[in-house]
Amino acid sequence: MAMTNTPTTLISPYGGKLVDLLASAEEVAELRAYASKLPSIKISARAECDLEMLATGAFSPLDRFMGKADFQRVLDEMRLANGLLFPIPVTLAVEPSPDLQVGKEIALRGANNDLLALMTVEEIYEWNRDEVAAKAFGTLDLRHPLVAEMHRWGPVNIAGPLRVLQLPAHYDFKDLRLTPSQVRSRLETYGHKNVVAFQTRNPLHRVHEELTKRAIAEVDGVLLLHPVVGMTKPGDVDHYTRVRTYMALAENHYDPDRILLSLLPLAMRMAGPREAVWHAIIRRNHGANHFIVGRDHAGPGNDSTGKPIYGPYDAQELVAACSEELGVTMVPFKQLVYLPDEDRYEEEDKVAKTARVANISGTQVRDNYLAAGQKLPDWFTRPQVADILADAYPPMHRQGFCVWLTGLSASGKSAVAEVLTVLLLEHGRQITLLDGNVVRTNLSEGLGYDKHDRDANVRRMGFVASELVRHGGAVICAAVSPYRATRNDVRAVVGKEGYIEVFVDTPLEICEQRDTQGMYAKARRGEIKEFTGIDDPYEPPQHPEIHLDGANHSAEENARTILQYLLDRGLVRPLSAQIGAN
């Protein structure tokens, strides 16, 4: 890294100065003793990320979880109560409790009960989930991962001054986990006033490398390679794999005085255009005055009808419109293609129609190369990156998946699941079967049948399934799971690529005829309350991957329909391919 005698002056933090909520070393011991006498709440992984970003000034000028005035104006106008542009609500949603009282202090603890911060509660206010979804995310569609996730957030937000005793513990890539202040200090030594930030939650290929190098050359700047390692889109490549690819590129393929790799513990919202503006603010706080905005930046993908939730250039347009106020120049991510005859990349719209081009889509990377055990070509990605990705991606037939069977009680889910288990074992896949009733006995004992407890049971199944899928396991879940929002939350946790929703569609009257336990009859007589299909709703999937007729087809016929889907996806290998049959 090139060092200069005089530090380079970077753009000021957003709002004028970096917020710093960290208590001094001298205060921490006293505050810990004080905190032991206070009521505590355990915050979510998302809130932990937000707390770290608040504490270090990454969300400057925000110095706390938002109070009602900031929250409402951000939703309505993308501005804080003081008028400063800020597009994303950053709140701490909790369940009401006698321990939460205005004017009282509470301790905030992480997942392992680690003491993180003290908060003086100044506000407790209700919030509306649909309002946040419509205004902040522009959709009520439950395929948006945050819209689904918000259904498990508490109904009130709390806000007040924070004293942060420690940041959440991270044991990986510690040398790369730099606070905004540390990033600024390092960038000041590079001797380049302009800093171009690149937001990424995916591995970098040659096209990204070429684009970033062109961007920093155009402004004589430094690249702040700033990958998100907090919470990204469910199903993304894990950050451990991604960071190794970034390190390989930074070490071997960039000038050392033109790149700084730093990790960002951000919990993304996948809020598209609004999030892109938020990302620009965050990067300004780290010293960047240019920001690369990609196509469908921070987009969650498609809605339940298969249509993109955001337009491909919505984010670029909004950041460009806000650029002057933000003080950050928007750099559009231009589509580049490889010209094999000339061994170079060029912008797609500058290539002659007769020119021979090469390109590989994200789907092809996953399906045609990584899942097929084929190494990515050198023109597409650096060999070091290709090797790291190949190690991280097993062939498709060894990747995890979850078949989630949903339908009314006695619709035939369990019977289909049992047959499918045998068929998959026949095809060489080891299976974990999670039946709703069995899970209730062994994992959810003590839960009742009201909406809260049903959701808790389904989410526990979803968590177990997600862990198995993450490690390459094949899982079949059979549960009534009556509510769309909860099922879509599970989809997000498992990851959309590995989640296969199967609706076992059996009319209520047939389910009642099949009910050997007499549960429906008891519900009809009022002996069981809030029974799905009788006095509590079942919300059928609107766009399941597989829709089965549970009335007119046998369990085996339905199971074979699912098996064929898995064979077509490549998640299961045909027997002929395994035994070498012609």
Side-chain angles (χ1 to χ4, degrees):
M1 180 175 67
M3 305 293 290
T4 62
N5 294 325
T6 57
T8 304
T9 300
L10 303 176
I11 188 173
S12 63
Y14 192 56
K17 65 176 182 179
L18 279 179
V19 169
D20 182 359
L21 303 180
L22 287 164
S24 67
E26 295 75 20
E27 296 175 295
V28 168
E30 182 180 346
L31 290 174
R32 282 188 179 280
Y34 175 59
S36 65
K37 304 172 185 177
L38 297 176
S40 297
I41 61 171
K42 190 173 288 189
I43 62 176
S44 67
R46 181 173 298 282
E48 282 192 44
C49 291
D50 288 349
L51 180 66
E52 181 168 359
M53 298 286 282
L54 285 167
T56 59
F59 287 164
S60 297
L62 207 59
D63 65 355
R64 67 192 64 195
F65 294 101
M66 287 180 180
K68 188 172 183 178
D70 281 332
F71 169 72
Q72 195 61 52
R73 192 167 182 193
V74 165
L75 289 183
D76 294 337
E77 304 176 48
M78 295 204 314
R79 294 188 181 277
L80 298 173
N82 64 9
L84 203 60
L85 184 66
F86 204 95
I88 296 293
V90 179
T91 57
L92 183 57
V94 299
E95 296 292 336
S97 165
D99 291 333
L100 296 175
Q101 297 181 31
V102 172
K104 302 292 186 181
E105 286 190 278
I106 58 169
L108 305 183
R109 297 184 180 273
N112 297 320
N113 215 35
D114 297 324
L115 176 64
L116 299 177
L118 304 182
M119 174 192 282
T120 303
V121 180
E122 289 187 347
E123 293 184 64
I124 304 174
Y125 62 98
E126 295 181 350
W127 63 284
N128 184 285
R129 183 188 302 119
D130 287 350
E131 181 187 21
V132 174
K135 292 180 177 178
F137 306 121
T139 181
L140 297 177
D141 196 294
L142 292 167
R143 289 290 174 90
H144 191 296
L146 253 291
V147 174
E149 182 186 313
M150 285 194 297
H151 281 260
R152 55 185 157 97
W153 294 4
V156 297
N157 291 330
I158 58 174
L162 293 163
R163 288 179 289 176
V164 179
L165 280 67
Q166 65 173 350
L167 299 177
H170 303 292
Y171 304 107
D172 58 321
F173 307 112
K174 295 181 76 168
D175 291 344
L176 299 178
R177 290 183 176 272
L178 307 177
T179 66
S181 178
Q182 291 169 330
V183 169
R184 284 176 159 274
S185 294
R186 295 200 185 185
L187 288 172
E188 286 172 349
T189 67
Y190 278 67
H192 303 282
K193 183 176 181 179
N194 290 317
V195 176
V196 181
F198 184 46
Q199 151 92 19
T200 177
R201 36 169 265 268
N202 292 303
L204 261 60
H205 301 298
R206 293 289 294 273
V207 66
H208 305 101
E209 180 186 334
E210 180 70 19
L211 179 94
T212 53
K213 286 179 176 177
R214 291 186 185 191
I216 58 178
E218 286 176 6
V219 299
D220 186 24
V222 178
L223 176 67
L224 173 58
L225 184 56
H226 215 199
V228 173
V229 296
M231 298 175 70
T232 61
K233 183 179 176 181
D236 280 349
V237 178
D238 68 89
H239 81 263
Y240 304 102
T241 300
R242 289 190 288 112
V243 173
R244 292 198 299 275
T245 69
Y246 307 144
M247 293 174 70
L249 287 172
E251 289 290 329
N252 297 291
H253 299 290
Y254 284 85
D255 292 338
D257 66 338
R258 293 286 186 171
I259 187 170
L260 174 62
L261 172 61
S262 178
L263 310 187
L264 185 70
L266 175 69
M268 291 184 65
R269 271 60 169 178
M270 308 311 299
R274 277 190 178 228
E275 179 137 355
V277 174
W278 193 41
H279 289 170
I281 291 171
I282 292 167
R283 274 32 185 249
R284 173 169 172 173
N285 286 326
H286 286 81
N289 60 344
H290 292 74
F291 180 51
I292 298 173
V293 180
R295 188 177 185 274
D296 193 24
H297 186 103
N302 295 337
D303 63 16
S304 57
T305 69
K307 297 178 180 178
I309 291 177
Y310 307 119
Y313 303 108
D314 290 354
Q316 292 182 357
E317 291 170 1
L318 185 59
V319 176
C322 298
S323 182
E324 184 175 352
E325 185 172 357
L326 293 174
V328 178
T329 301
M330 194 279 293
V331 180
F333 189 112
K334 298 175 182 176
Q335 187 63 41
L336 303 181
V337 294
Y338 179 67
L339 304 176
D341 296 333
E342 303 176 40
D343 189 26
R344 67 182 182 89
Y345 281 91
E346 185 53 272
E347 293 175 25
E348 191 173 40
D349 58 3
K350 294 182 180 179
V351 176
K353 292 182 179 180
T354 57
R356 191 165 67 96
V357 301
N359 201 2
I360 302 176
S361 70
T363 299
Q364 290 174 319
V365 168
R366 183 178 62 250
D367 296 346
N368 297 358
Y369 287 89
L370 297 176
Q374 297 294 317
K375 189 169 182 179
L376 289 161
D378 289 354
W379 66 262
F380 178 76
T381 199
R382 296 289 187 178
Q384 301 99 319
V385 173
D387 289 342
I388 292 169
L389 293 177
D391 288 343
Y393 272 88
M396 184 69 80
H397 67 275
R398 292 180 183 169
Q399 292 182 19
F401 63 84
C402 170
V403 174
W404 190 279
L405 293 149
T406 177
L408 290 168
S409 180
S411 62
K413 301 182 300 298
S414 296
V416 172
E418 289 173 5
V419 177
L420 181 61
T421 297
V422 173
L423 296 178
L424 290 174
L425 288 168
E426 176 190 11
H427 282 73
R429 294 270 350 203
Q430 296 301 310
I431 298 298
T432 299
L433 175 58
L434 299 176
D435 184 85
N437 291 328
V438 176
V439 168
R440 273 193 171 273
T441 300
N442 294 285
L443 189 63
S444 299
E445 185 178 3
L447 289 181
Y449 288 88
D450 62 15
K451 185 179 189 305
H452 179 273
D453 283 3
R454 284 176 180 161
D455 281 348
N457 184 55
V458 168
R459 288 194 174 103
R460 289 179 189 181
M461 288 182 69
F463 171 75
V464 173
S466 71
E467 289 297 296
L468 292 166
V469 168
R470 188 163 64 89
H471 293 287
V475 188
I476 302 171
C477 295
V480 174
S481 45
Y483 308 117
R484 285 192 198 106
T486 313
R487 292 194 303 267
N488 278 284
D489 198 14
V490 171
R491 178 188 292 274
V493 170
V494 173
K496 70 173 186 177
E497 296 296 334
Y499 180 87
I500 301 149
E501 188 172 69
V502 180
F503 178 29
V504 184
D505 189 358
T506 308
L508 176 61
E509 58 270 19
I510 294 179
C511 293
E512 293 193 63
Q513 293 170 15
R514 292 177 176 175
D515 182 18
T516 57
Q517 297 179 313
M519 302 293 285
Y520 282 105
K522 291 179 181 178
R524 293 284 188 192
R525 295 194 298 267
E527 297 172 17
I528 301 176
K529 301 295 184 183
E530 298 182 287
F531 192 81
T532 301
I534 303 300
D535 58 350
D536 199 71
Y538 176 79
E539 300 171 359
Q542 295 173 314
H543 303 280
E545 278 70 23
I546 303 174
H547 190 151
L548 299 178
D549 183 343
N552 299 304
H553 292 161
S554 69
E556 181 178 351
E557 288 173 324
N558 282 330
R560 289 191 180 277
T561 296
I562 301 172
L563 174 64
Q564 188 59 53
Y565 177 91
L566 297 172
L567 287 164
D568 292 343
R569 283 272 305 271
L571 292 165
V572 176
R573 282 200 301 168
L575 284 175
S576 59
Q578 300 183 52
I579 63 177
N582 293 324

